[in-house]
Amino acid sequence: MQEKYDITGMSCAACSTRVEKAVSSLPGMEQCSVNLLKNSMVVNYDDHTLTSSQIVEAVEKAGYGAVLETKGGQKTAAGAKASPVDTARQEYESMRRRVIWSFVFTVPLFYISMGHMMGWPLPGFFLGTENSMIYAMTLFLLALPVAIINSKYYRNGFKTLFHGSPNMDSLIALGSGASMVYGVYALYKIAYGFGHGDLAMVTQFTHDLYFEGAGTILTLITLGKFFEARAKGKTSDAINKLLNLAPKTATVVRDGVESVVPVEELETGDVLIVKAGESIPVDGVVLEGTASVDESAITGESIPVDKETGDKVIGATVNRSGYFRMRATKVGEDTALAQIIRLVDEATSSKAPIAKLADRVAGVFVPVVIAIAVVSAIVWLICGATFEFALTIAVSVLVVSCPCALGLATPTAIMVGTGRGATNGVLIKSAEALETAHSVQTVVMDKTGTITQGQPMVTDIACPENVDCGELLQIAASLEKLSEHPLARAIVAEAERKGVSYLPVKNFEQIPGQGIRGEIDGAECLAGNQKMMNAFSIHGESMEELQDQMASDGKTPLFFVKDGLLLGMIAVADVVKPTSKEAIQELKHMGIEVVMLTGDHRKTAEAIRRQVGVDRVIAEVLPQDKEREIRRIQESGRKVAMVGDGINDAPALARADVGIAIGAGTDVAMESADIVLMKNDLLDVAGAIELSKATIRNIKENLFWAFFYNVIGIPVAAGCYYVAFGLKMNPMVAALAMSFSSVFVVSNALRLRFFKPKHGSAAVTAQAAAVTEPVVHKTAAVSPAERAERQAAETKQNGGIVMKRELTVEGMMCQNCVKHVRKALEGIEGASDVEVSLEEKKATVCVPESVTDEMLKAAVVDAGYEVTAIN
């Protein structure tokens, strides 16, 4: 049985590891995955051996809280569950208030305590031995609110310490707590000194107040936690935006009456109505009508798909033009969109949080430091030292080993690194992404909107020698301006870019599945695909040959006719971005494998592969297939980065070790990703990996120096060199040493401000902005009269009547198959006008009456294919 729990009380990787170990040790537990970022736990267990209450009890014994969630997302505890967005927002607001108020008290605390040492101007009543009590009480009253505001560190730190699993909170609590306790002790000694006239004691303990150390420790750590909470708040938005993608209502026909009902009330078998511009509410099958449906949100297909009776439609896709009735086949959690939401949630839940080195060593570091402090104090007491001396030694050990530098080592480098990334157009959303990106071995890219522009553009204009291409574009744009089809918008956009004027169109008509027609200056004009040309018996040999070439390059050719004369052809395609090829080559030079995943047809995908040079391509995949392919690569032991921009990429982005979203893509893709390319340029993928390497290197340097200071400082603080050299570190010097180590760490992190990627988009901005001009083709002109004469001559030569036959051919898989079938039919004596369609699996040919069906079938069969029907 699989269950999901909300876990409370976790603050670092040591906490999640502790929970995971506690639950995994239960009998009957098969798998346990704790996600620190989402504060959740997913378990698989044998419900005959183990129960939910036992799991909750194990988590509570480890020192944390657990609440079981039901399938509907409600907690088993009383009351409705707060949404992830609300929870994250509340955590962020809480941390923001804590940071602000901490600084309100820490700034004057630090200024007053360090002012007399640094020569800063201070009021007279803080100076001199006679004002020592005023000075000490002021510091105490400023430090106390900081400790109260950040009391969570003490609660969690001591709680985990008592449970035998100390974490970073334990270090913070011990370090700042020891400073506070010793400061209070010094207050009493100052009061005692004044009461007994011992001014030497007053002077001594006035310099042994460590309230500023406690306040500074708590405030700086809280500042780091604040930035962490801000980043975590983004993770919950992705699923909520997916949920908002589908329409909230649907038009349903029940008992012959149309009514608008909430989508939640739909049932399998309901008949729905979808009009132009509306989103399809659920998955289903078209009962009647036609439409052009934009499925890019789900499949990634950039070109809208024509739908007619019997075709399947997917919920959350958009009806761009047309009207149809559909029957709901999948509703609720069974729809394709619901499956995507589930995949995103599962992928983010199973992704392990980053195991920071500082947290991994905390479990060993803290007990060792405590032991050193206690042992040092006891040894000095045994040796005859005073209690004050022994306490000073113990506090010095705890303060010098304070996790301030250890805690700052990672977040400061991440802050500077991510800031530098943003300057270069790379938005890095998490430390996990920074740690993982430097070791990426495979980059998987979506095609639509990532490698390509994501919207159709005119790529080729072809017309006979006796036709002006400007006239072709003018007539094409005049017709297409009245159409709602996205391909039409591409042609209109090209005409507007060239300043072409529009001609008035009369009797405009859309022909479903074929194209459009209308009258311009009294002449009937047609605009459509090959099916429309066949329906109106309009042919052009050179154009048809060019069409096959365009189709093999992944382009969609559209034909235009005026008064029965073929004016030409305009090809439209989702073109490759100017920098995509260079970016892919850069990644390959870095030793990274590049894979392209797409929901497009294999023919289109292969055309893009040839243009940009990816290592391999996987086409015609649905969102769950993309996520499965990412998982398959990961299972082979490789680190995977996924680059995408669509909602359909969200599960794969979440599943990958590093998810990278294109900035111009959907909000859902960007929320699911770890890195966002704000400049919408693939070259920044290589730049992000370089930045990751530099940042991780900086983090390791910081951690080394943080530990180095502790290794040097702890023996000195423990008094190891006092007898031999008289070298002793009082808590003030320990606090200064700790502060210096923090300054060193921060200064080292600031070096990342000067990072410049070798591979980035800055050098190619001008190139990326360039507009691609369509290629113009001129073909030999053949008028209808010339074609008729040619056909008559061929008929006479072949000695009889020419008949047009249509064959249904099975076994064709690609354009090479099309060429083989065409060649086989053209080899028949007297055959002409051979046309082969891979999509329709049909071939048409004009042959003399003497050519029998058996001869046609034999020619195709000999080529290696099967003929199932001849009409």
Side-chain angles (χ1 to χ4, degrees):
M1 175 181 286
Q2 184 180 81
E3 290 180 340
K4 184 176 181 181
Y5 294 79
D6 284 340
I7 307 298
T8 57
M10 296 192 300
S11 61
C12 68
C15 300
S16 60
T17 302
R18 173 75 175 177
V19 172
E20 198 163 306
K21 285 182 178 179
V23 176
S24 297
S25 63
L26 293 173
M29 181 59 61
E30 298 170 0
Q31 186 180 14
C32 174
S33 176
V34 179
N35 190 304
L36 175 64
L37 195 62
K38 296 174 67 179
N39 291 316
S40 66
M41 176 179 69
V42 177
V43 295
N44 283 291
Y45 66 93
D46 182 1
D47 56 353
H48 296 294
T49 308
L50 194 61
T51 64
S52 300
S53 59
Q54 289 176 304
I55 296 173
V56 172
E57 184 180 353
V59 175
E60 290 176 346
K61 282 184 178 179
Y64 305 91
V67 181
L68 173 64
E69 289 187 6
T70 64
K71 287 186 177 180
Q74 296 297 314
K75 294 179 180 179
T76 55
K81 174 189 174 183
S83 72
V85 173
D86 292 337
T87 303
R89 186 181 298 113
Q90 289 170 6
E91 182 182 357
Y92 171 77
E93 289 298 329
S94 173
M95 292 302 302
R96 188 171 70 91
R97 288 192 296 269
R98 283 173 57 185
V99 167
I100 292 173
W101 283 108
S102 294
F103 271 101
V104 166
F105 291 101
T106 301
V107 170
L109 170 65
F110 186 82
Y111 184 88
I112 295 171
S113 64
M114 304 299 291
H116 66 284
M117 295 176 59
M118 306 300 295
W120 298 338
L122 285 170
F125 55 80
F126 285 136
L127 303 175
T129 305
E130 65 278 9
N131 294 315
S132 293
M133 200 63 192
I134 297 175
Y135 169 77
M137 284 300 298
T138 302
L139 295 186
F140 174 70
L141 293 175
L142 287 172
L144 188 60
V146 178
I148 294 172
I149 290 168
N150 297 288
S151 60
K152 184 177 180 180
Y153 295 128
Y154 296 107
R155 293 196 304 271
N156 291 343
F158 288 119
K159 182 179 179 180
T160 55
L161 182 63
F162 295 148
H163 279 89
S165 55
N167 59 6
M168 292 296 288
D169 284 352
S170 303
L171 288 173
I172 297 166
L174 285 171
S176 61
S179 296
M180 286 291 292
V181 169
Y182 188 82
V184 172
Y185 172 75
L187 272 176
Y188 279 93
K189 296 298 286 187
I190 292 171
Y192 182 87
F194 274 122
H196 293 77
D198 189 348
L199 295 182
M201 178 182 291
V202 172
T203 302
Q204 175 191 346
F205 282 97
T206 299
H207 291 91
D208 283 350
L209 292 168
Y210 310 115
F211 294 124
E212 80 286 345
T216 303
I217 291 167
L218 293 170
T219 301
L220 290 178
I221 295 297
T222 302
L223 180 63
K225 294 284 186 180
F226 165 73
F227 287 113
E228 179 184 340
R230 186 172 64 176
K232 287 172 66 176
K234 297 291 184 182
T235 60
S236 303
D237 291 344
I239 293 177
N240 285 273
K241 288 183 178 178
L242 282 172
L243 290 168
N244 293 330
L245 180 67
K248 300 295 183 290
T249 59
T251 304
V252 63
V253 179
R254 291 173 177 165
D255 299 326
V257 179
E258 292 185 18
S259 60
V260 177
V261 300
V263 173
E264 294 79 10
E265 296 181 9
L266 294 179
E267 299 177 355
T268 302
D270 278 343
V271 176
L272 311 176
I273 293 176
V274 182
K275 302 175 184 177
E278 293 182 349
S279 293
I280 298 172
V282 293
D283 298 359
V285 177
V286 176
L287 297 177
E288 61 177 283
T290 59
S292 178
V293 178
D294 181 359
E295 297 183 341
S296 58
I298 301 296
T299 66
E301 171 68 68
S302 55
I303 306 298
V305 180
D306 293 329
K307 300 290 184 180
E308 54 189 25
T309 302
D311 289 341
K312 294 181 179 179
V313 289
I314 306 172
T317 56
V318 181
N319 178 13
R320 292 298 183 191
S321 63
Y323 169 97
F324 64 89
R325 290 189 175 211
M326 61 172 282
R327 176 181 289 111
T329 57
K330 292 181 179 179
V331 300
E333 295 183 357
D334 297 326
T335 63
L337 179 64
Q339 296 300 314
I340 293 176
I341 293 171
R342 180 180 59 79
L343 286 170
V344 172
D345 189 38
E346 287 182 358
T348 53
S349 296
S350 63
K351 182 188 290 183
I354 186 172
K356 297 183 180 69
L357 180 58
D359 282 326
R360 289 202 297 267
V361 303
V364 177
F365 185 65
V366 176
V368 169
V369 168
I370 295 172
I372 292 173
V374 173
V375 169
S376 298
I378 293 173
V379 168
W380 281 109
L381 286 172
I382 293 173
C383 292
T386 63
F387 175 75
E388 289 85 354
F389 184 92
L391 182 60
T392 301
I393 290 292
V395 172
S396 295
V397 170
L398 290 172
V399 171
V400 80
S401 63
C402 175
C404 197
L406 204 57
L408 287 172
T410 299
T412 49
I414 289 172
M415 285 174 59
V416 179
T418 52
R420 189 59 187 167
T423 303
N424 291 311
V426 179
L427 178 59
I428 302 170
K429 296 170 58 180
S430 67
E432 289 89 338
L434 267 178
E435 185 181 43
T436 308
H438 82 287
S439 58
V440 163
Q441 299 162 296
T442 299
V443 173
V444 180
M445 296 182 178
D446 175 51
K447 179 188 76 70
T448 305
T450 302
I451 295 176
T452 65
Q453 298 283 11
Q455 57 184 6
M457 295 177 62
V458 174
T459 59
D460 299 81
I461 299 176
C463 54
E465 294 177 350
N466 62 339
V467 176
D468 178 38
C469 288
E471 178 189 1
L472 167 63
L473 185 59
Q474 184 179 39
I475 291 176
S478 300
L479 285 170
E480 300 290 6
K481 186 173 176 62
L482 303 177
S483 173
E484 300 171 346
H485 203 283
L487 297 184
R489 291 199 289 269
I491 294 174
V492 171
E494 178 64 21
E496 291 180 349
R497 190 176 68 83
K498 292 188 173 181
V500 175
S501 60
Y502 299 107
L503 300 173
V505 179
K506 297 180 180 178
N507 300 324
F508 177 81
E509 179 186 358
Q510 290 190 351
I511 304 176
Q514 297 185 14
I516 57 178
R517 67 178 174 183
E519 290 184 12
I520 298 178
D521 295 333
E524 184 182 49
C525 297
L526 306 175
N529 54 23
Q530 182 67 51
K531 190 184 293 184
M532 185 180 213
M533 297 300 103
N534 293 339
F536 285 85
S537 300
I538 295 172
H539 303 279
E541 292 178 357
S542 55
M543 286 290 176
E544 290 168 4
E545 291 174 1
L546 191 59
Q547 176 205 8
D548 293 337
Q549 178 187 335
M550 299 295 178
S552 66
D553 289 338
K555 302 173 182 177
T556 303
L558 300 173
F559 297 92
F560 297 89
V561 176
K562 182 178 180 181
D563 267 348
L565 176 66
L566 183 61
L567 289 178
M569 177 183 70
I570 296 178
V572 178
D574 186 8
V575 299
V576 172
K577 293 178 182 177
T579 59
S580 292
K581 183 175 181 180
E582 183 181 352
I584 290 168
Q585 294 306 314
E586 291 289 359
L587 288 171
K588 293 172 74 173
H589 290 159
M590 295 171 69
I592 297 173
E593 179 191 26
V594 183
V595 179
M596 183 175 77
L597 290 182
T598 177
D600 268 351
H601 297 300
R602 181 167 298 278
K603 177 175 62 178
T604 303
E606 283 294 331
I608 299 298
R609 184 192 65 79
R610 291 194 298 270
Q611 291 182 53
V612 299
V614 296
D615 293 307
R616 59 191 178 98
V617 61
I618 302 173
E620 300 177 358
V621 291
L622 294 174
Q624 56 266 35
D625 297 324
K626 292 185 180 182
E627 188 267 348
R628 186 164 55 245
E629 181 65 20
I630 295 292
R631 190 167 56 222
R632 189 189 67 78
I633 298 173
Q634 288 174 324
E635 288 171 354
S636 68
R638 299 180 70 85
K639 292 285 187 180
V640 182
M642 171 69 191
V643 187
D645 76 318
I647 292 169
N648 61 298
D649 300 320
L653 287 169
R655 172 65 64 185
D657 296 287
V658 181
I660 304 176
I662 295 294
T666 63
D667 289 342
V668 173
M670 288 189 282
E671 294 296 346
S672 299
D674 302 300
I675 298 176
V676 177
L677 307 184
M678 296 184 292
K679 292 183 181 177
N680 205 17
D681 194 324
L682 275 182
L683 274 173
D684 284 331
V685 174
I689 293 174
E690 287 184 55
L691 178 61
S692 169
K693 292 178 183 292
T695 305
I696 293 301
R697 185 167 57 248
N698 191 279
I699 289 174
K700 290 179 178 178
E701 292 169 355
N702 287 347
L703 289 173
F704 168 77
W705 284 110
F707 282 115
F708 173 79
Y709 277 108
N710 281 304
V711 170
I712 296 298
I714 289 175
V716 175
C720 295
Y721 306 109
Y722 182 70
V723 175
F725 307 101
L727 188 61
K728 171 181 170 290
M729 182 185 294
N730 65 34
M732 177 58 75
V733 175
L736 287 174
M738 178 273 293
S739 299
F740 178 73
S741 66
S742 301
V743 171
F744 186 93
V745 164
V746 173
S747 300
N748 185 53
L750 291 176
R751 293 191 304 111
L752 285 171
R753 291 186 302 172
F754 306 105
F755 168 82
K756 289 184 180 180
K758 296 177 183 177
H759 313 291
S761 59
V764 292
T765 303
Q767 178 187 356
V771 177
T772 304
E773 285 289 337
V775 179
V776 178
H777 306 266
K778 281 289 185 178
T779 61
V782 180
S783 66
E786 291 173 328
R787 172 172 285 277
E789 290 178 6
R790 184 181 300 176
Q791 290 178 341
E794 291 173 353
T795 301
K796 184 175 181 180
Q797 179 181 353
N798 293 326
I801 300 173
V802 174
M803 303 179 64
K804 185 174 182 179
R805 310 309 302 270
E806 183 180 84
L807 295 78
T808 301
V809 182
E810 295 292 338
M812 294 189 297
M813 303 295 292
C814 63
Q815 290 299 321
N816 286 328
C817 299
V818 170
K819 292 178 182 178
H820 294 156
V821 174
R822 182 186 293 111
K823 186 176 181 180
L825 293 174
E826 289 175 344
I828 299 174
E829 185 177 356
S832 62
D833 292 338
V834 178
E835 297 177 0
V836 183
S837 171
L838 175 62
E839 289 77 12
E840 298 179 359
K841 299 187 182 300
K842 294 185 182 297
T844 58
V845 58
C846 293
V847 293
E849 190 177 16
S850 58
V851 177
T852 64
D853 289 354
E854 287 73 17
M855 295 170 65
L856 290 170
K857 184 175 182 179
V860 175
V861 170
D862 289 344
Y865 304 92
E866 181 184 357
V867 177
T868 58
I870 300 179
N871 299 317

